[in-house]
């Protein structure tokens, strides 16, 4: 039986399909809950940052992986969520309501971008989102009365029902809880009619039109949903940074999110999480190996950028389905072992979408 790479999309929202998978994820969740008691506060902060990027990656995956729309401006939605949450908190809004309002504010901005952007696609859509990110960055820098401008804006300590969540353990559990809730919400959305309609738009807009799916509404709705989830990640990032400046929401952050989605595997929620974990931990790994490198290499300007590009090129050439595709192949190999054929895991030829209309 030949391995079908389309299972990447069929199982992208089926994180567990057997009792073994459910038990495995239950053990993983228990391990994450017990982690704060065995690692240092610094590592807890790093893990909380990984969870935040996982939520942001899931937001971008909702847009790029499910509907096929490219975005280079999701750092703007993170910034809107972060600054909106900080402003709401400064006005005395409770923490949960402030995070919800920040997510809704980002979703509104995503809808404003998505409505005109549905008329373009591909490179032109990427340019539209990139221009939006530049505009938001300039607004943040010059709207001093609300954002503090280039001087920055301090973020109040998170407090829930009179209990401070600013400590490393409490904030770690807050980020973990939000990540699990977002993941479960997306799983339910993707199993619904709306989720299948989004996947249908990605696979073929012509077929979606023929089936009566409102393609324009789906694209605009995907933009709003994606921006809302990303804005929620921005509200968590505000507490992680504790002080917001426009320099923290540049094009580099948007490119990192794109890397997470591509390396993790387009169309897979599991891949979005795996890609976020890899990309968020990669700078730390680079800093750890720098002392073992020759000085001419370790002190070279742009070393991290080169490694990021190398990782992206490696996955595009040798594993285009990303980390999730590799996981599916390993699992299929283990399930069929020792009865398997050598050609089972060869990549099947897949024609581009544009070739169907020739």
């Amino acid at each position: 039986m030949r391995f079908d790479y389309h299972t990447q999309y069929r199982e992208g929202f089926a994180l567990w399909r057997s009792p073994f998978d459910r038990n495995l994820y239950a053990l993983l969740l228990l391990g994450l809950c017990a982690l704060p008691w065995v690692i240092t506060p610094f590592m807890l902060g790093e893990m909380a940052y990984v969870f935040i990027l996982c939520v942001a990656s899931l937001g971008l995956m909702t847009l790029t992986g499910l509907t096929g729309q490219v975005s280079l401006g999701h750092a703007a939605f993170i910034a809107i969520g972060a600054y909106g949450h900080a402003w709401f908190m400064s006005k005395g809004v409770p923490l949960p309501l402030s995070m919800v309002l920040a997510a809704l504010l980002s979703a509104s901005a995503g809808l404003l971008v998505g409505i005109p952007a549905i008329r373009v696609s591909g490179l032109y859509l990427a340019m539209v989102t990139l221009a939006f990110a530049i505009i938001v960055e300039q607004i943040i820098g010059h709207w001093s009365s609300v954002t503090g401008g280039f001087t920055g804006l301090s973020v109040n300590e998170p407090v829930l029902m009179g209990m401070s969540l600013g400590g490393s353990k409490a904030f770690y559990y807050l980020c973990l809880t939000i990540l699990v809730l977002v993941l479960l919400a997306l799983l339910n959305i993707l199993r619904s009619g709306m989720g299948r309609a989004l996947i249908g738009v990605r696979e073929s807009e012509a077929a979606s039109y023929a089936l009566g799916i409102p393609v324009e509404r789906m694209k605009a709705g995907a933009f709003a949903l994606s921006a809302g989830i990303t804005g929620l990640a921005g509200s968590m990032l505000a507490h992680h940074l504790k002080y917001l400046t426009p320099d923290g929401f540049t094009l580099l952050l948007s490119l990192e999110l794109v890397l997470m989605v591509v390396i993790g595997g387009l169309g897979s929620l599991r891949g979005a999480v795996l890609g976020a974990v890899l990309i968020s931990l990669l700078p730390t790994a680079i800093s750890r190996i720098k002392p073992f490198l020759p000085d001419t290499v370790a002190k070279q300007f742009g070393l991290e950028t080169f490694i990021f590009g190398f990782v992206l090129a490696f996955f595009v050439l040798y594993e285009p389905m990303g980390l999730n595709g590799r996981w599916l192949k390993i699992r299929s190999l283990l399930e069929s072992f020792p009865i398997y054929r050598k050609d089972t895991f060869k990549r099947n030829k897949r024609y581009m979408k544009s070739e169907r209309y020739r």
Side-chain angles (χ1 to χ4, degrees), residues 142-175:
H142 292 88
W143 199 0
S144 302
S145 60
V146 175
T147 64
F150 293 101
T151 304
L153 178 67
S154 61
V155 183
N156 294 341
E157 187 178 65
V159 178
L160 181 62
M161 294 185 295
M163 182 178 62
S164 174
L165 301 179
S168 57
K169 287 185 180 179
F171 186 66
Y172 171 88
Y173 284 121
L174 174 65
C175 295

Short mmCIF file of all heavy atoms in Angstrom, two decimals, residues 142-175:
data_model
loop_
_atom_site.label_atom_id
_atom_site.label_comp_id
_atom_site.label_asym_id
_atom_site.label_seq_id
_atom_site.Cartn_x
_atom_site.Cartn_y
_atom_site.Cartn_z
N HIS A 142 3.76 56.34 15.82
CA HIS A 142 3.43 57.77 15.85
C HIS A 142 2.19 58.09 16.68
O HIS A 142 1.92 59.27 16.93
CB HIS A 142 3.24 58.28 14.42
CG HIS A 142 4.51 58.31 13.62
ND1 HIS A 142 4.95 57.23 12.90
CD2 HIS A 142 5.45 59.28 13.43
CE1 HIS A 142 6.09 57.52 12.28
NE2 HIS A 142 6.41 58.76 12.59
N TRP A 143 1.42 57.09 17.09
CA TRP A 143 0.24 57.34 17.91
C TRP A 143 0.63 57.29 19.39
O TRP A 143 0.26 56.40 20.13
CB TRP A 143 -0.84 56.31 17.60
CG TRP A 143 -2.21 56.74 18.02
CD1 TRP A 143 -2.57 57.90 18.62
CD2 TRP A 143 -3.41 55.97 17.86
NE1 TRP A 143 -3.92 57.93 18.85
CE2 TRP A 143 -4.47 56.75 18.39
CE3 TRP A 143 -3.70 54.72 17.33
CZ2 TRP A 143 -5.79 56.31 18.41
CZ3 TRP A 143 -5.01 54.28 17.34
CH2 TRP A 143 -6.05 55.07 17.87
N SER A 144 1.35 58.29 19.81
CA SER A 144 1.96 58.28 21.14
C SER A 144 0.93 58.29 22.26
O SER A 144 1.18 57.73 23.33
CB SER A 144 2.90 59.49 21.29
OG SER A 144 3.90 59.46 20.29
N SER A 145 -0.21 58.93 22.06
CA SER A 145 -1.19 59.04 23.13
C SER A 145 -1.80 57.70 23.52
O SER A 145 -2.29 57.54 24.64
CB SER A 145 -2.31 59.99 22.70
OG SER A 145 -2.96 59.52 21.52
N VAL A 146 -1.77 56.73 22.62
CA VAL A 146 -2.35 55.41 22.90
C VAL A 146 -1.27 54.34 23.05
O VAL A 146 -1.30 53.55 24.00
CB VAL A 146 -3.34 55.01 21.79
CG1 VAL A 146 -3.86 53.59 22.02
CG2 VAL A 146 -4.50 55.99 21.73
N THR A 147 -0.33 54.32 22.14
CA THR A 147 0.68 53.25 22.12
C THR A 147 2.00 53.62 22.79
O THR A 147 2.86 52.76 22.95
CB THR A 147 0.98 52.84 20.67
OG1 THR A 147 1.57 53.95 19.97
CG2 THR A 147 -0.30 52.45 19.95
N GLY A 148 2.16 54.90 23.14
CA GLY A 148 3.43 55.32 23.70
C GLY A 148 4.48 55.62 22.66
O GLY A 148 5.60 56.01 23.01
N GLY A 149 4.14 55.42 21.37
CA GLY A 149 5.08 55.73 20.30
C GLY A 149 6.32 54.85 20.35
O GLY A 149 6.29 53.70 20.80
N PHE A 150 7.42 55.42 19.89
CA PHE A 150 8.68 54.67 19.88
C PHE A 150 9.27 54.56 21.28
O PHE A 150 10.20 53.77 21.49
CB PHE A 150 9.68 55.35 18.94
CG PHE A 150 9.27 55.28 17.49
CD1 PHE A 150 8.70 56.37 16.85
CD2 PHE A 150 9.45 54.11 16.77
CE1 PHE A 150 8.32 56.30 15.52
CE2 PHE A 150 9.07 54.02 15.44
CZ PHE A 150 8.50 55.13 14.81
N THR A 151 8.75 55.33 22.23
CA THR A 151 9.22 55.21 23.62
C THR A 151 8.78 53.90 24.23
O THR A 151 9.51 53.30 25.02
CB THR A 151 8.69 56.39 24.45
OG1 THR A 151 9.09 57.61 23.84
CG2 THR A 151 9.22 56.32 25.87
N GLY A 152 7.60 53.46 23.88
CA GLY A 152 7.12 52.17 24.38
C GLY A 152 5.95 52.31 25.33
O GLY A 152 5.57 53.41 25.75
N LEU A 153 5.36 51.17 25.68
CA LEU A 153 4.19 51.12 26.55
C LEU A 153 4.36 49.96 27.52
O LEU A 153 4.62 48.82 27.12
CB LEU A 153 2.92 50.92 25.71
CG LEU A 153 1.60 50.79 26.46
CD1 LEU A 153 1.24 52.11 27.13
CD2 LEU A 153 0.49 50.35 25.51
N SER A 154 4.23 50.26 28.80
CA SER A 154 4.35 49.21 29.83
C SER A 154 3.04 48.43 29.92
O SER A 154 1.95 48.97 29.67
CB SER A 154 4.69 49.81 31.18
OG SER A 154 3.67 50.71 31.60
N VAL A 155 3.12 47.17 30.30
CA VAL A 155 1.97 46.29 30.40
C VAL A 155 1.73 45.94 31.86
O VAL A 155 2.67 45.56 32.58
CB VAL A 155 2.19 45.00 29.58
CG1 VAL A 155 0.94 44.11 29.62
CG2 VAL A 155 2.56 45.34 28.14
N ASN A 156 0.49 46.09 32.30
CA ASN A 156 0.14 45.76 33.67
C ASN A 156 0.29 44.27 33.93
O ASN A 156 0.16 43.45 33.01
CB ASN A 156 -1.29 46.21 33.99
CG ASN A 156 -1.44 47.71 33.97
OD1 ASN A 156 -0.46 48.45 34.06
ND2 ASN A 156 -2.67 48.19 33.84
N GLU A 157 0.51 43.92 35.17
CA GLU A 157 0.65 42.51 35.55
C GLU A 157 -0.69 41.79 35.40
O GLU A 157 -1.73 42.34 35.77
CB GLU A 157 1.13 42.41 36.99
CG GLU A 157 1.47 40.99 37.43
CD GLU A 157 1.99 40.95 38.85
OE1 GLU A 157 1.20 41.28 39.76
OE2 GLU A 157 3.17 40.61 39.05
N PRO A 158 -0.70 40.59 34.84
CA PRO A 158 -1.98 39.86 34.69
C PRO A 158 -2.53 39.42 36.04
O PRO A 158 -1.82 38.80 36.84
CB PRO A 158 -1.61 38.66 33.81
CG PRO A 158 -0.14 38.47 34.06
CD PRO A 158 0.43 39.83 34.29
N VAL A 159 -3.78 39.75 36.29
CA VAL A 159 -4.44 39.41 37.56
C VAL A 159 -5.78 38.78 37.23
O VAL A 159 -6.57 39.34 36.45
CB VAL A 159 -4.63 40.64 38.46
CG1 VAL A 159 -5.36 40.25 39.74
CG2 VAL A 159 -3.29 41.28 38.78
N LEU A 160 -6.06 37.63 37.82
CA LEU A 160 -7.32 36.92 37.60
C LEU A 160 -7.95 36.61 38.95
O LEU A 160 -7.38 35.88 39.76
CB LEU A 160 -7.08 35.63 36.81
CG LEU A 160 -8.31 34.79 36.48
CD1 LEU A 160 -9.28 35.57 35.61
CD2 LEU A 160 -7.90 33.49 35.80
N MET A 161 -9.13 37.21 39.21
CA MET A 161 -9.87 37.02 40.46
C MET A 161 -8.99 37.32 41.67
O MET A 161 -8.97 36.57 42.65
CB MET A 161 -10.45 35.61 40.53
CG MET A 161 -11.51 35.33 39.49
SD MET A 161 -12.29 33.70 39.65
CE MET A 161 -10.90 32.62 39.31
N GLY A 162 -8.24 38.40 41.57
CA GLY A 162 -7.38 38.83 42.67
C GLY A 162 -6.08 38.07 42.80
O GLY A 162 -5.27 38.37 43.69
N MET A 163 -5.83 37.10 41.93
CA MET A 163 -4.61 36.29 42.00
C MET A 163 -3.68 36.69 40.86
O MET A 163 -4.09 36.74 39.69
CB MET A 163 -4.94 34.81 41.90
CG MET A 163 -3.72 33.89 42.01
SD MET A 163 -4.17 32.14 41.94
CE MET A 163 -4.90 32.02 40.31
N SER A 164 -2.44 36.99 41.20
CA SER A 164 -1.47 37.41 40.20
C SER A 164 -1.01 36.23 39.35
O SER A 164 -0.71 35.14 39.88
CB SER A 164 -0.26 38.07 40.87
OG SER A 164 0.75 38.35 39.92
N LEU A 165 -0.97 36.45 38.05
CA LEU A 165 -0.47 35.44 37.12
C LEU A 165 0.86 35.85 36.51
O LEU A 165 1.26 35.33 35.48
CB LEU A 165 -1.50 35.19 36.00
CG LEU A 165 -2.88 34.72 36.43
CD1 LEU A 165 -3.78 34.54 35.22
CD2 LEU A 165 -2.79 33.41 37.23
N GLY A 166 1.52 36.82 37.16
CA GLY A 166 2.79 37.30 36.63
C GLY A 166 3.97 36.40 36.93
O GLY A 166 5.03 36.54 36.31
N GLY A 167 3.81 35.46 37.86
CA GLY A 167 4.90 34.54 38.16
C GLY A 167 5.15 33.58 37.02
O GLY A 167 4.29 33.36 36.15
N SER A 168 6.32 32.98 37.02
CA SER A 168 6.70 32.10 35.91
C SER A 168 5.78 30.89 35.80
O SER A 168 5.35 30.52 34.70
CB SER A 168 8.16 31.66 36.07
OG SER A 168 8.34 31.01 37.32
N LYS A 169 5.44 30.26 36.93
CA LYS A 169 4.59 29.07 36.89
C LYS A 169 3.17 29.42 36.48
O LYS A 169 2.56 28.75 35.63
CB LYS A 169 4.59 28.37 38.26
CG LYS A 169 5.87 27.64 38.59
CD LYS A 169 5.74 26.90 39.91
CE LYS A 169 7.04 26.15 40.24
NZ LYS A 169 6.94 25.43 41.53
N ALA A 170 2.61 30.48 37.09
CA ALA A 170 1.23 30.86 36.79
C ALA A 170 1.09 31.27 35.32
O ALA A 170 0.12 30.88 34.65
CB ALA A 170 0.79 31.99 37.71
N PHE A 171 2.05 32.04 34.81
CA PHE A 171 1.96 32.47 33.42
C PHE A 171 2.16 31.30 32.47
O PHE A 171 1.54 31.23 31.40
CB PHE A 171 3.01 33.55 33.15
CG PHE A 171 2.91 34.16 31.79
CD1 PHE A 171 1.81 34.91 31.42
CD2 PHE A 171 3.92 33.98 30.85
CE1 PHE A 171 1.70 35.47 30.16
CE2 PHE A 171 3.83 34.54 29.59
CZ PHE A 171 2.72 35.29 29.25
N TYR A 172 2.99 30.34 32.85
CA TYR A 172 3.19 29.13 32.04
C TYR A 172 1.87 28.38 31.90
O TYR A 172 1.48 27.98 30.79
CB TYR A 172 4.25 28.26 32.71
CG TYR A 172 4.39 26.87 32.11
CD1 TYR A 172 5.24 26.63 31.05
CD2 TYR A 172 3.65 25.80 32.62
CE1 TYR A 172 5.37 25.36 30.51
CE2 TYR A 172 3.78 24.53 32.08
CZ TYR A 172 4.64 24.31 31.03
OH TYR A 172 4.75 23.05 30.50
N TYR A 173 1.17 28.18 33.01
CA TYR A 173 -0.10 27.47 32.95
C TYR A 173 -1.15 28.25 32.19
O TYR A 173 -2.01 27.66 31.51
CB TYR A 173 -0.59 27.16 34.37
CG TYR A 173 0.15 26.03 35.04
CD1 TYR A 173 0.84 26.22 36.23
CD2 TYR A 173 0.16 24.75 34.47
CE1 TYR A 173 1.52 25.18 36.84
CE2 TYR A 173 0.83 23.70 35.08
CZ TYR A 173 1.52 23.92 36.26
OH TYR A 173 2.19 22.88 36.84
N LEU A 174 -1.12 29.59 32.29
CA LEU A 174 -2.05 30.41 31.51
C LEU A 174 -1.85 30.21 30.02
O LEU A 174 -2.81 29.99 29.26
CB LEU A 174 -1.88 31.89 31.88
CG LEU A 174 -2.69 32.89 31.05
CD1 LEU A 174 -4.19 32.70 31.29
CD2 LEU A 174 -2.27 34.33 31.38
N CYS A 175 -0.60 30.26 29.57
CA CYS A 175 -0.30 30.07 28.14
C CYS A 175 -0.64 28.66 27.68
O CYS A 175 -1.18 28.48 26.58
CB CYS A 175 1.17 30.38 27.87
SG CYS A 175 1.65 32.10 28.17
#
